[in-house]
Amino acid sequence: MNLKRFTIFAVLLLLPSAIAAQSLEPSAAKIQQNVTYLASDALDGRRTGTAGANEAAKYLAKEFERLGLRPAPATDSRKINVMLARYLQTFPYIGSVELGKNNVLSVKSGETLRVGEDWMPLGISPNQKLDLTGVVFPGYGITANELNYNDYKGTYTKNQVAVIQKGTPDGDNPHGRFTTAGQLRFKVAAAQSAGVGALLIISSEDDLKNDALAKLHYDNAGLAGIPVAVISKQAAEKLANAKEVTLRTDVVRVDVPAHNVVGVIEGSDPVLKNESIVIGAHYDHLGRGGEGSLAPRPGEIHHGADDNASGTAGVLELARIFSTQRPKLKRTLVFIAFSGEEEGLLGSNYYVNHPLMPLDKTVAMINMDMIGRMKDRKLIIGGVGTAKEWRQLLTASNGGFELTMNEDGYGPSDHSSFYSKQIPVLFFWTGTHNDYHKPSDTSEKINYDDEARILSLVARIIRDVDSADPRLTYTTAKSEPPRGGGFRVYLGTIPNYADTNEGLLLDGVRDDSPAAKAGLKAGDRVVKIGTRDVKNVYDYTAALGEMKAGQEYVIEVMRGSEKLTLKIVPQARN
Ligand SMILES: [Zn+2]
């Protein structure tokens, strides 16, 4: 016996078995390991633009590298370490707001109010200098046509500043009548629509510094159309009889980089490798609360285990499986962990406008968002109407799930961005639950075994998409207008929630909808509806709330540099 030879033989024997040990089946243990880390306190809730989110991005880049994925061709190289940075696609994001040097609020009698003590501009306020000749006090500053409620009686001019109360006539009741109209953004829209030049909100705190409104914050949803500030009770009294008021707002919004993480497995077919399949999930979450949080109080870490460490772990697990599988798939697989989703699909929107692989050769996008809370084998799949083949593929290999299939390619997650570019999409989701957007969305509540089963199904679908030489046939999905938005009318527009330029950019228009009949198109920017100026999505929503079904309204849109005036007749929502 030749021990040396045997040793070599044994090593050779071990090699293939070592590879075989890298199973092609999703592993609940590996998913659990990744979810547990991503949802841990160490990452501080992964709010876009924060250290916690950047730490998560670094981890994902490392995992892509370890699994042998390649960076996408043109990924930006910035920050973290140079090697890992090649996996990052960096996009602009306002991470913080600072006070500029030129804030002024003064009354003619000579009194100057101190910024930071007596008043504070809001992070959403544009920077302007106004000489105002009148102060008005329109109550809570709420306009809610559906409730026949309007605090703005009479006519107003741009030379006036409105000083309003915080809150609503229903107090703090979260189930009161004014859940939408009472929100800050809608109060701003109401003031703007009433025609005043600026809005001051009286603080409910005795010390202005304790007011949440005084803590400079920007929601990445576009600037307000008029200057907005919070003012102390005492300062508001000083304005009561003022004839002339000077207001100058100066807010510095600080851009911090945010990152999508992108890794590629090149296809094995010399021709089909030019086509790609995107497999994505957002990794960002809500940090310590604030915008989007449903927690009773701010400050606690929102762990986001289901939303969306579960989907992110899914991306990693599928990357592991497809990097192990031989032969490799024919087409190129693009794995993307998106950021900025919670702020309004910012990362995926950036990707489809700055794609790293050609979009016209992107044959499908598979999105996983909240796939960790399966109950009774119930799985929801969106986007089934976006390719002719989807329904048949899903039915053929449904993996023993009880499937709810939704046609629409638009929905509340990143697949929407791809569908808006006419790419077939599928959206995997196990539904909402009590811990949604709360600190209690934690890793021990995840159903790892069923998540592994879901990933088996996703992997099968991806193999099926890849195995056919002709690519999927894109179809326009039947749309299901979202219910319960609080609106009585339906236009059929698909707003781009990520765009922050003036007006409301449309990603699309639903077939046969009032918007389609009016001649609106994807890419149009709505700037006016009826008498309302539309500067952002909130102005638009407020305008929608005032419309009546069956009545004709003038709608102004910018198409390129051309301004079009169209007519639209909203439908009643059923
Ligand atoms: Zn979420």
Side-chain angles (χ1 to χ4, degrees):
M1 172 166 220
N2 184 320
L3 208 57
K4 195 178 171 195
R5 274 197 68 132
F6 176 76
T7 313
I8 291 166
F9 184 63
V11 167
L12 288 176
L13 263 183
L14 271 173
L15 264 178
S17 70
I19 288 167
Q22 274 287 348
S23 166
L24 290 180
E25 279 307 307
S27 148
K30 288 193 164 75
I31 299 165
Q32 179 162 16
Q33 195 187 335
N34 283 319
V35 169
T36 304
Y37 174 65
L38 291 167
S40 68
D41 286 359
L43 297 187
D44 208 31
R46 314 185 302 282
R47 173 71 85 167
T48 304
T50 65
N54 291 344
E55 208 43 48
K58 196 161 90 180
Y59 175 78
L60 296 167
K62 259 188 199 152
E63 285 298 292
F64 282 170
E65 186 187 37
R66 189 179 65 79
L67 294 167
L69 272 60
R70 290 212 209 145
T75 323
D76 301 353
S77 53
R78 265 213 264 176
K79 294 258 166 117
I80 312 190
N81 90 42
V82 177
M83 189 53 210
L84 293 177
R86 293 167 55 221
Y87 291 92
L88 303 184
Q89 180 184 43
T90 302
F91 60 90
Y93 177 77
I94 308 277
S96 62
V97 185
E98 291 164 11
L99 206 53
K101 290 197 180 74
N102 302 306
N103 287 288
V104 178
L105 179 57
S106 62
V107 289
K108 181 71 182 292
S109 55
E111 182 124 30
T112 295
L113 302 169
R114 298 155 301 170
V115 69
E117 306 274 338
D118 303 317
W119 74 287
M120 190 74 168
L122 300 197
I124 60 169
S125 179
N127 294 332
Q128 288 182 17
K129 181 174 184 294
L130 300 173
D131 291 311
L132 302 155
T133 52
V135 183
V136 293
F137 293 86
Y140 292 97
I142 292 175
T143 304
N145 270 23
E146 67 279 15
L147 302 171
N148 275 323
Y149 183 96
N150 189 0
D151 279 324
Y152 289 93
K153 301 181 177 74
T155 48
Y156 301 89
T157 72
K158 287 232 174 308
N159 295 325
Q160 291 173 317
V161 53
V163 181
I164 62 166
Q165 303 287 336
K166 231 176 157 179
T168 78
D170 289 357
D172 291 335
N173 181 0
H175 307 292
R177 295 170 295 161
F178 299 101
T179 41
T180 304
Q183 286 172 26
L184 170 70
R185 281 288 197 165
F186 291 102
K187 286 189 171 193
V188 177
Q192 197 181 308
S193 184
V196 297
L199 180 68
L200 299 176
I201 302 162
I202 302 170
S203 175
S204 53
E205 303 287 339
D206 288 327
D207 184 351
L208 184 86
K209 291 195 184 82
N210 296 330
D211 198 306
L213 288 180
K215 298 184 169 57
L216 286 166
H217 168 76
Y218 183 63
D219 57 9
N220 278 274
L223 293 188
I226 53 173
V228 191
V230 58
I231 181 167
S232 73
K233 295 172 193 166
Q234 300 85 343
E237 278 165 26
K238 289 176 185 160
L239 287 180
N241 300 312
K243 294 273 179 302
E244 288 173 48
V245 175
T246 298
L247 174 64
R248 185 168 181 187
T249 47
D250 182 10
V251 170
V252 182
R253 279 161 282 262
V254 184
D255 212 18
V256 296
H259 316 281
N260 293 328
V261 189
V262 187
V264 172
I265 300 175
E266 196 172 303
S268 58
D269 184 281
V271 177
L272 291 178
K273 72 175 184 185
N274 296 316
E275 295 184 353
S276 59
I277 302 169
V278 171
I279 301 161
H282 77 89
Y283 71 90
D284 67 296
H285 192 51
L286 301 172
R288 289 186 175 243
E291 203 73 36
S293 167
L294 298 175
R297 45 186 180 276
E300 286 174 52
I301 297 174
H302 287 52
H303 296 88
D306 186 33
D307 187 7
N308 186 25
S310 67
T312 310
V315 165
L316 290 177
E317 192 54 3
L318 292 169
R320 183 187 68 76
I321 289 166
F322 286 115
S323 63
T324 313
Q325 173 175 329
R326 295 292 179 276
K328 288 199 278 185
L329 295 199
K330 297 191 260 190
R331 290 177 171 85
T332 295
L333 300 180
V334 183
F335 294 87
I336 312 181
F338 297 104
S339 193
E341 192 271 351
E342 301 286 11
E343 268 80 7
L345 317 183
L346 303 180
S348 56
N349 185 68
Y350 186 83
Y351 180 88
V352 298
N353 289 303
H354 306 82
L356 299 170
M357 305 293 278
L359 285 190
D360 61 346
K361 292 202 158 58
T362 301
V363 304
M365 191 275 178
I366 310 286
N367 184 31
M368 295 168 284
D369 193 353
M370 298 174 61
I371 54 168
R373 291 291 196 99
M374 178 167 277
K375 257 198 213 150
D376 307 326
R377 292 287 172 109
K378 285 185 183 139
L379 180 61
I380 303 159
I381 306 180
V384 176
T386 64
K388 203 177 79 188
E389 298 83 356
W390 279 146
R391 194 170 281 273
Q392 204 252 318
L393 283 182
L394 286 163
T395 318
S397 57
N398 85 0
F401 295 117
E402 192 188 303
L403 298 184
T404 302
M405 293 196 249
N406 296 329
E407 296 278 308
D408 207 342
Y410 292 112
S413 187
D414 295 306
H415 56 286
S416 280
S417 301
F418 288 79
Y419 183 55
S420 76
K421 302 290 183 187
Q422 286 83 49
I423 294 168
V425 297
L426 282 184
F427 165 43
F428 290 84
W429 184 38
T430 51
T432 192
H433 46 78
N434 272 338
D435 302 304
Y436 172 72
H437 281 201
K438 291 179 190 160
S440 53
D441 177 7
T442 46
S443 58
E444 83 285 353
K445 291 176 185 159
I446 299 298
N447 177 349
Y448 293 103
D449 288 334
D450 276 337
E451 174 164 347
R453 289 188 188 99
I454 295 168
L455 294 178
S456 284
L457 170 63
V458 175
R460 276 203 302 281
I461 298 291
I462 292 166
R463 289 189 186 104
D464 288 347
V465 169
D466 184 62
S467 66
D469 274 9
R471 56 191 278 181
L472 291 173
T473 320
Y474 169 80
T475 49
T476 308
K478 250 191 271 137
S479 60
E480 291 142 28
R483 283 170 188 283
F487 301 116
R488 298 166 302 171
V489 300
Y490 164 69
L491 298 184
T493 49
I494 315 289
N496 181 320
Y497 292 99
D499 183 82
T500 57
N501 295 314
E502 214 168 286
L504 181 93
L505 178 64
L506 297 183
D507 266 350
V509 168
R510 296 177 192 265
D511 284 355
D512 296 325
S513 65
K517 287 172 193 155
L520 291 169
K521 290 199 168 88
D524 284 351
R525 194 176 284 282
V526 178
V527 293
K528 195 164 191 173
I529 300 182
T531 56
R532 268 199 188 255
D533 286 329
V534 174
K535 304 274 187 195
N536 53 47
V537 70
Y538 297 96
D539 297 344
Y540 178 78
T541 310
L544 211 58
E546 291 175 352
M547 297 174 98
K548 293 195 176 74
Q551 194 170 312
E552 188 177 87
Y553 294 86
V554 169
I555 182 165
E556 284 179 21
V557 302
M558 297 301 299
R559 184 171 295 165
S561 56
E562 200 188 344
K563 186 183 251 177
L564 302 178
T565 304
L566 306 169
K567 287 184 178 139
I568 193 162
V569 182
Q571 279 173 13
R573 185 176 285 288
N574 38 16

